Amino acid sequence: MATPVTAQANVPGIEHEGASFPPFDVNTFGSQLLWLAISFGVLYLLMAKVIVPRLSGILADRQARISGDLEAAAKAKTDAEAAGAAYEKALSEAKARAQTLVHETRDRAAAEAALKRQALEAELAEKLAAAEAVIAEGKAKAMSSVRGIAIEAATAIVERLTGEAPADAKVAAAVDAVRR
Amino acid sequence: MANPIEQFEIKTLVPLGKIGGTEIAFTNSALFMVGAVALITIGLTAATARRSLVPGRFQAGAEVLYEFVAKTLREAAGHDAMQFFPLVFSLFTFVLTCNLLGLVPGFFTVTSHVIVTASLALLVIGTVIVAGFVKHGFHFLGLFVPSGVPFWLLPFMIVIEVVSFLSRPISLSLRLFANMLAGHIALKVFAGFIVSLGALAASGGVTGILGVAGATLPLAMAVGLTALEFLVAALQAYVFTILTCIYLHDALHPGH
C-alpha cells in the first residue's frame, strides 16, 4: 500500500495498456460476440417462451378475475333488485286477493242471512194464515150455533110464560127478525 | 490495482480454441454475460412461479418491471409493437443487469465494451429494418422522405434523413459504452487517490495531516460517484430501451 509502489506500478501499466485499450482490442471481439450471441439468444428464448407469457398470463388472469368479479357483483345487484320488485308485486297481489276474499265472504254471508230470513218470514206468515183460518172457522161455527141456542131459549121462555109450546117456525122467524 | 484501465481487461478463463485465426475462449466477460442471463431468467421465473392472484414481494417486482417496459413500448411505438416486447424486455433487463452487476466491486462490466453495445444496437436497427420491410415493403423507404418539404429541398433532406438513420446504431451503442466506461474510470481514479493520499496520511507528521484532509475529499467524491453510477446504470438501460421503442415506432409507422 506504499505510495511509491502503486505509483510505479501505475505509470508503466498505463503505458503498457495504452498500446491496446481493452475495449478496442480486436482479438477479444470473437469470444465476446460468441458469448453475447449465446447468452442473449438464450435470454431472448426464455423471455419469449416462458417469462413473458407467464407474466402477461398472470396480469391477464388478474384483469379477467377483477372484471369477472365486478360483473358478478353487478349481476347480483340486478338480481336482488328484481327479487325485491317481485316480492313487492306478490305482496300487493296477495293483499288485493285478501281484500276481494273478504268482500266476497261478507256478501255471501249477507245473502244467505237474507234468504234464511225470507224463508222464516214466509213460514211464519203461512202459520199465521192457518191460525187465522182456524179462528174464522171456529167463529163461524159458533155464530151458526148461536141461532139454534136462541131459538131453543126463546121456545123455552115462551113455553114457561104461556105454558104452551110455540110453533118452531114462528120462533125461528122471530129470532131471525131480531138477529137481522 | 490503481490502474483504472485494468478493470476492462478481458481475461481468458477457459480457452476453447481458434476459429479462423480468432481466439475463442470462455472469458470473464462471458462469465458475467451468462451470469446476468442466469440471474434474470432464474430471478423472474422464481418470482412468477406461484402465479399468485395477489402477488408477493418478488412477483410484484417482476410485474412492475414488466408493466414499466410494456408501458414504455406501448406509449412510444403503439399497441402493435407489443410483438417486439420479448426483445425489448430482454434488452432492458440484460443491459440493466449488466450495468448494475458491474457496480459490484471486482465485477466485470459487460456493457463497458463497445463490441457488446454495438452488437445490441445493430440487433435493434436490424430488427427495425427487417420489420419495416416485412410490414411495409418498399414504402418503408418513405421513412427517408419527409412530407411537406419543397421538392428542391428533397435530395438534401433525404441525405440528412439517411445519415441520421445510420447514426442511430452508432449513437445508441456509443452512449451506453461511453457512460459505463467513463463512470468506472472516474470511480477507479478517485478510489486510487484515496489509497495514495491515505498512504501519505500514514506517514505521520505535517504531511500526515495533509494526507488525511486530502484523502477525505476523494472518499466523499467516490461515495457520491457510486450513487451517481447507480443512477447512470439504470438511466442508460432505460435510455437504450426507450430509443429502441422509438426506432421500432419508425419501423411500424414510417410516415413522418
Side-chain angles (χ1 to χ4, degrees):
Chain A
M1 276 299 171
T3 315
V5 178
T6 48
Q8 275 167 10
N10 205 349
V11 176
I14 286 173
E15 279 173 356
H16 172 70
E17 295 301 332
S20 66
F21 182 56
F24 297 144
D25 185 357
V26 182
N27 292 325
T28 66
F29 282 8
S31 304
Q32 292 203 65
L33 283 174
L34 174 73
W35 288 104
L36 178 66
I38 291 172
S39 54
F40 195 78
V42 168
L43 176 64
Y44 179 81
L45 277 180
L46 286 172
M47 279 289 184
K49 299 287 174 206
V50 181
I51 295 167
V52 169
R54 193 189 275 190
L55 267 169
S56 60
I58 289 170
L59 295 171
D61 281 355
R62 183 173 307 147
Q63 198 58 46
R65 175 73 181 270
I66 289 170
S67 55
D69 282 2
L70 283 177
E71 262 171 33
K75 193 177 171 293
K77 188 166 173 271
T78 52
D79 282 358
E81 277 169 357
Y87 166 75
E88 290 288 335
K89 193 162 167 279
L91 191 67
S92 63
E93 267 175 11
K95 269 183 183 167
R97 208 156 53 219
Q99 203 76 26
T100 54
L101 208 62
V102 165
H103 278 296
E104 271 174 15
T105 311
R106 202 169 57 197
D107 290 352
R108 200 164 58 229
E112 269 172 16
L115 217 61
K116 267 184 188 166
R117 201 180 61 215
Q118 273 175 11
L120 204 61
E121 276 173 356
E123 199 184 331
L124 287 174
E126 206 174 282
K127 277 183 179 170
L128 196 64
E132 275 173 355
V134 168
I135 289 166
E137 196 185 327
K139 194 179 171 186
K141 211 188 270 177
M143 286 311 250
S144 70
S145 58
V146 162
R147 184 174 171 261
I149 293 165
I151 288 169
E152 270 174 32
T155 306
I157 291 165
V158 168
E159 199 179 345
R160 194 69 73 83
L161 288 175
T162 63
E164 193 179 329
D168 285 348
K170 279 186 180 172
V171 174
V175 167
D176 285 343
V178 172
R179 285 183 68 214
R180 195 153 302 133
Chain B
M1 274 302 285
N3 181 355
I5 303 300
E6 195 193 322
Q7 59 179 321
F8 303 114
E9 256 175 46
I10 302 273
K11 298 189 188 78
T12 297
L13 301 176
V14 183
L16 296 175
K18 284 190 170 198
I19 298 175
T22 317
E23 205 161 337
I24 299 298
F26 189 78
T27 61
N28 53 348
S29 166
L31 177 69
F32 279 94
M33 288 178 193
V34 173
V37 168
L39 201 65
I40 296 164
T41 52
I42 293 170
L44 286 179
T45 310
T48 55
R50 279 215 231 138
R51 296 163 186 263
S52 314
L53 193 67
V54 179
R57 194 176 304 155
F58 293 108
Q59 192 185 318
E63 283 174 17
V64 165
L65 209 62
Y66 176 97
E67 295 274 27
F68 173 69
V69 179
K71 188 164 161 276
T72 306
L73 180 59
R74 264 199 297 268
E75 282 177 4
H79 279 275
D80 48 348
M82 283 306 280
Q83 55 182 308
F84 298 111
F85 182 75
L87 175 69
V88 176
F89 198 46
S90 302
L91 279 170
F92 178 71
T93 51
F94 185 73
V95 173
L96 181 68
T97 310
C98 288
N99 288 357
L100 289 176
L101 273 181
L103 284 171
V104 178
F107 278 23
F108 181 81
T109 314
V110 176
T111 42
S112 67
H113 275 253
V114 72
I115 183 70
V116 172
T117 59
S119 303
L120 294 177
L122 283 174
L123 176 66
V124 170
I125 296 301
T127 306
V128 166
I129 291 171
V130 170
F133 276 115
V134 166
K135 197 163 160 50
H136 298 286
F138 280 97
H139 290 292
F140 177 60
L141 294 174
L143 179 65
F144 302 114
V145 187
S147 57
V149 171
F151 75 97
W152 55 270
L153 257 178
L154 264 181
F156 191 58
M157 292 303 289
I158 287 170
V159 169
I160 290 179
E161 291 286 340
V162 169
V163 168
S164 104
F165 187 83
L166 291 179
S167 69
R168 280 173 176 184
I170 299 169
S171 69
L172 194 59
S173 55
L174 284 186
R175 183 181 299 110
L176 178 59
F177 157 69
N179 267 288
M180 288 299 115
L181 187 81
H184 282 266
I185 289 175
L187 261 181
K188 201 77 167 187
V189 165
F190 277 100
F193 282 157
I194 304 170
V195 174
S196 4
L197 290 166
L200 192 67
S203 65
V206 183
T207 50
I209 296 164
L210 278 174
V212 168
T216 311
L217 192 66
L219 178 63
M221 283 295 288
V223 170
L225 270 177
T226 306
L228 183 70
E229 279 311 301
F230 272 100
L231 177 71
V232 168
L235 195 68
Q236 287 305 318
Y238 177 62
V239 166
F240 199 93
T241 307
I242 197 158
L243 285 174
T244 302
C245 295
I246 289 167
Y247 299 159
L248 283 171
H249 176 264
D250 282 349
L252 298 170
H253 317 280
H256 266 269

